[in-house]
C-alpha cells in the first residue's frame, strides 16, 4: 500500500483478555518497528524487526507482550492478559532498511488506540 | 546516553503568528541524525525533516524552517505565519548514525487559533 496501515484503529477490551494488533508496512520496507505512546508521553520503543527476525526486543514491557512478523511483511503485536496500564496508542513504523544510514527514515501508521477497561 | 527534551508541553498562538518549537538533545555520538515529525489529530506521525549532524545549514521549506546549532545541541523548528492546519503535536527525535533506534522527545502540542 501507499503507507503503513494499522488495524484496528480502536480496540476496547476487558482486563485479562488477549488482543492482537496488526501492522502492514510500506511495500518493500524490510525494517519494522513498534512503539507505544501513552497519554502525554513521547514514543516508547517496543521492538524492531529486520525481515522476519527481531534483533531487538528490549522495549517489550513484560512477557505478556510478543510480536511476530511473517513473510517480511505484516506484523502482529500480541498482548496477553491485558491490564489497564496497557491502555495506550500503539504505533507501527517501517523503513527501507534498519541500519543503512541514508535509508533509515521511519514512516508511521496512524496507530491503534487500545483501551483496557 | 541519548536524550531529547522538548520543554514546551503546549503552545497556543493566533493564526498568522510565527511560532518556534524548541528541541534540545544529548548524545555522546559524533555522528547522528535529528528528525521532526508532525502528529495531527488523525494520529499518524508525518515525517517533516531529517538533519545530519555534519550539516549545520539551516533549512527552509515553505513556511517551515529549522535551526540546527551544534554548539547548543538544539534543533529548533519555526513555523512562519501559522495556520489552523498546523495544529498538531510535534515530535523531535534523535538517532545515532548506523542504528535504527529513534529517541523521541515528549512532543509539543501546538494549537493555532483562528
Amino acid at each position: 500500500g501507499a503507507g503503513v496501515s494499522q488495524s484496528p484503529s480502536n480496540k476496547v477490551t476487558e482486563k485479562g483478555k488477549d488482543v492482537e494488533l496488526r501492522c502492514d508496512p510500506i511495500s518493500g520496507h524490510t525494517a519494522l518497528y513498534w512503539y507505544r505512546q501513552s497519554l502525554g508521553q513521547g514514543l516508547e520503543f517496543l521492538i524492531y524487526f529486520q525481515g522476519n527476525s527481531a534483533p531487538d526486543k528490549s522495549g517489550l514491557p513484560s512477557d505478556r507482550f510478543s510480536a511476530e512478523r511473517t513473510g517480511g511483511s505484516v506484523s502482529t503485536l500480541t498482548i496477553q492478559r491485558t491490564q489497564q496500564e496497557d491502555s495506550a496508542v500503539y504505533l507501527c513504523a517501517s523503513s527501507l532498511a534498519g541500519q543503512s544510514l541514508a535509508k533509515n527514515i521511519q514512516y508511521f501508521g496512524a496507530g491503534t488506540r487500545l483501551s483496557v477497561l | 546516553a541519548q536524550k531529547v527534551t522538548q520543554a514546551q508541553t503546549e503552545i497556543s498562538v493566533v493564526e498568522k503568528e510565527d511560532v518556534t518549537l524548541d528541541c534540545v538533545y544529548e548524545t555522546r555520538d559524533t555522528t547522528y541524525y535529528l528528525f521532526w515529525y508532525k502528529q495531527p489529530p488523525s494520529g499518524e506521525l508525518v515525517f517533516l525533516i531529517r538533519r545530519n549532524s555534519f550539516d549545520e545549514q539551516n533549512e527552509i521549506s515553505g513556511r517551515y524552517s529549522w535551526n540546527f546549532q551544534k554548539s547548543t545541541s538544539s534543533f529548533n523548528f519555526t513555523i512562519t505565519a501559522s495556520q489552523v492546519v498546523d495544529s498538531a503535536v510535534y515530535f523531535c527525535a534523535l538517532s545515532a548514525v548506523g542504528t535504527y533506534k529513534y529517541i523521541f522527545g515528549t512532543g509539543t502540542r501546538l494549537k493555532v487559533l483562528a
Side-chain angles (χ1 to χ4, degrees):
Chain A
V4 178
S5 178
Q6 292 188 246
S7 61
S9 54
N10 283 283
K11 176 73 177 177
V12 180
T13 190
E14 294 179 352
K15 179 181 171 182
K17 302 272 190 182
D18 298 351
V19 295
E20 284 190 354
L21 312 180
R22 176 189 169 104
C23 173
D24 202 342
I26 293 172
S27 178
H29 280 195
T30 62
L32 186 147
Y33 317 79
W34 283 97
Y35 293 86
R36 180 166 70 175
Q37 184 179 22
S38 301
L39 189 63
Q41 302 296 313
L43 276 72
E44 174 191 5
F45 169 82
L46 297 179
I47 188 169
Y48 154 62
F49 284 93
Q50 182 58 46
N52 291 336
S53 62
D56 188 349
K57 306 178 184 179
S58 63
L60 294 177
S62 74
D63 58 8
R64 296 186 296 104
F65 288 73
S66 63
E68 65 174 13
R69 189 178 184 195
T70 55
S73 180
V74 172
S75 175
T76 303
L77 177 68
T78 300
I79 308 174
Q80 295 179 312
R81 305 180 302 282
T82 52
Q83 303 294 312
Q84 288 183 332
E85 60 262 29
D86 299 334
S87 296
V89 176
Y90 290 83
L91 289 160
C92 176
S94 69
S95 67
L96 269 172
Q99 297 194 10
S100 172
L101 314 181
K103 295 177 181 176
N104 191 23
I105 293 175
Q106 295 183 21
Y107 295 93
F108 285 79
T112 294
R113 183 176 297 278
L114 175 65
S115 299
V116 182
L117 305 179
Chain B
Q2 296 183 322
K3 184 179 179 181
V4 175
T5 300
Q6 294 180 256
Q8 303 152 308
T9 305
E10 184 168 317
I11 302 174
S12 291
V13 298
V14 177
E15 205 169 19
K16 297 185 184 176
E17 285 185 8
D18 299 347
V19 59
T20 295
L21 310 181
D22 298 333
C23 174
V24 174
Y25 63 92
E26 297 174 28
T27 182
R28 292 182 180 173
D29 295 299
T30 55
T31 309
Y32 49 88
Y33 281 110
L34 295 163
F35 303 80
W36 276 96
Y37 283 83
K38 172 182 179 181
Q39 187 178 39
S42 61
E44 179 176 341
L45 268 77
V46 177
F47 167 75
L48 295 178
I49 189 171
R50 178 185 64 184
R51 171 63 70 210
N52 184 315
S53 56
F54 288 125
D55 182 1
E56 287 197 67
Q57 276 192 322
N58 290 332
E59 180 146 343
I60 298 174
S61 176
R63 297 184 295 106
Y64 294 171
S65 62
W66 290 269
N67 184 329
F68 175 35
Q69 293 197 340
K70 242 176 162 177
S71 60
T72 56
S73 297
S74 65
F75 185 43
N76 295 338
F77 173 30
T78 297
I79 302 174
T80 303
S82 60
Q83 299 176 1
V84 172
V85 293
D86 296 327
S87 297
V89 180
Y90 290 86
F91 289 95
C92 181
L94 166 70
S95 178
V97 165
T99 71
Y100 50 84
K101 270 189 181 178
Y102 283 20
I103 307 300
F104 282 89
T106 51
T108 296
R109 181 177 300 277
L110 174 65
K111 292 184 178 180
V112 181
L113 308 172

